[in-house]
Amino acid sequence: MPSGPHHPTEAARLVVLVSGSGTNLQALLDAAAAPSFGAAIVAVGADRDGIEGLARAERAGIPVFVERVGDHATRDEWDEALAGKIAAYKPDLVVSAGFMKILGRRVLGSFPVVNTHPALLPSFPGAHAVRDALAYGVRVTGCTVHLVDAGVDTGPVIAQEAVAVRDGDDEDTLHERIKTVERRLLVEIVGRMAREGWTVSGRRVRLGRA
Ligand code: GRF
């Protein structure tokens, strides 16, 4: 797994991957408007067309690209095509913000990728984390920002924050409360990775200079 820009001088280049509403992307767009954030979103990619996340990027005047799994004979070919689209923008860091596909080894071997997940990993990995936490009956869940490895939400944890489950919560109310925390945490961590760099040793990620 490539490590990050240890001693960035100019703004770090971010490519953000989305699959849906893109409110985490919007939080990053809003933060990146301030030069002090230390990162610029240079492109937004998606696995599908017609989503609000792409519209948000277009409104911000940021280049977008779409790479559909279904357009390729195999996942590996999709992975390779996606890696090529991302590479064109020369990112220092790729941010998966509600991107709903498992990234392959070509992408993961080419760029550091950070993901936000709406549960306290290793609890409730996968595409239905909020629903699974509710069904299990946990009293506390939350969100996790982690580096992406080849597994499903198994990469080294960078930051987590707890969110209480309330009586009467359904998937939407709980997910929205988690997303409020998620957006703040993702902006904080991505900004620090961009400005301070990071190092990985085993499953431990340290922010700051090597
Ligand atoms: C986020 O909760 C993310 O963790 C999950 O899907 C949601 C995406 O929300 N994978 P948005 O598209 O950023 O609004």
Side-chain angles (χ1 to χ4, degrees), residues 116-192:
T116 178
H117 183 76
L120 294 175
L121 294 171
S123 295
F124 313 117
H128 307 291
V130 179
R131 187 173 74 191
D132 296 344
L134 265 180
Y136 192 93
V138 296
R139 304 312 299 158
V140 174
T141 184
C143 55
T144 302
V145 179
H146 65 95
L147 288 175
V148 176
D149 65 10
V152 179
D153 301 320
T154 53
V157 172
I158 304 171
Q160 295 185 295
E161 190 160 325
V163 173
V165 181
R166 291 180 186 158
D167 294 341
D169 262 336
D170 62 17
E171 184 176 352
D172 292 340
T173 57
L174 178 53
H175 201 168
E176 204 36 57
R177 194 172 324 117
I178 293 170
K179 284 171 76 169
T180 302
V181 174
E182 211 175 353
R183 292 187 280 260
R184 172 172 46 75
L185 192 62
L186 185 64
V187 165
E188 177 197 338
I189 297 303
V190 167
R192 288 191 58 198

Side-chain angles (χ1 to χ4, degrees), residues 24-188:
N24 278 283
L25 164 66
Q26 191 61 56
L28 289 167
L29 287 168
D30 297 346
S36 58
F37 185 59
I41 297 169
V42 295
V44 173
D47 60 329
R48 65 198 76 181
D49 280 306
I51 53 168
E52 183 60 13
L54 292 174
R56 292 179 191 276
E58 286 162 350
R59 288 197 290 271
I62 290 171
V64 299
F65 59 85
V66 176
E67 198 55 64
R68 278 176 293 270
V69 171
D71 290 351
H72 298 275
T74 67
R75 285 293 290 233
D76 277 354
E77 284 179 20
W78 170 75
D79 176 42
E80 195 155 342
L82 182 62
K85 290 272 177 67
I86 295 169
Y89 294 96
K90 298 182 174 35
D92 296 301
L93 178 62
V94 175
V95 183
S96 163
F99 189 67
M100 298 308 277
K101 291 288 187 304
I102 300 303
L103 294 168
R105 59 177 170 275
R106 182 59 68 91
V107 169
L108 296 176
S110 306
F111 321 98
V113 184
V114 62
N115 182 49
T116 178
H117 183 76
L120 294 175
L121 294 171
S123 295
F124 313 117
H128 307 291
V130 179
R131 187 173 74 191
D132 296 344
L134 265 180
Y136 192 93
V138 296
R139 304 312 299 158
V140 174
T141 184
C143 55
T144 302
V145 179
H146 65 95
L147 288 175
V148 176
D149 65 10
V152 179
D153 301 320
T154 53
V157 172
I158 304 171
Q160 295 185 295
E161 190 160 325
V163 173
V165 181
R166 291 180 186 158
D167 294 341
D169 262 336
D170 62 17
E171 184 176 352
D172 292 340
T173 57
L174 178 53
H175 201 168
E176 204 36 57
R177 194 172 324 117
I178 293 170
K179 284 171 76 169
T180 302
V181 174
E182 211 175 353
R183 292 187 280 260
R184 172 172 46 75
L185 192 62
L186 185 64
V187 165
E188 177 197 338

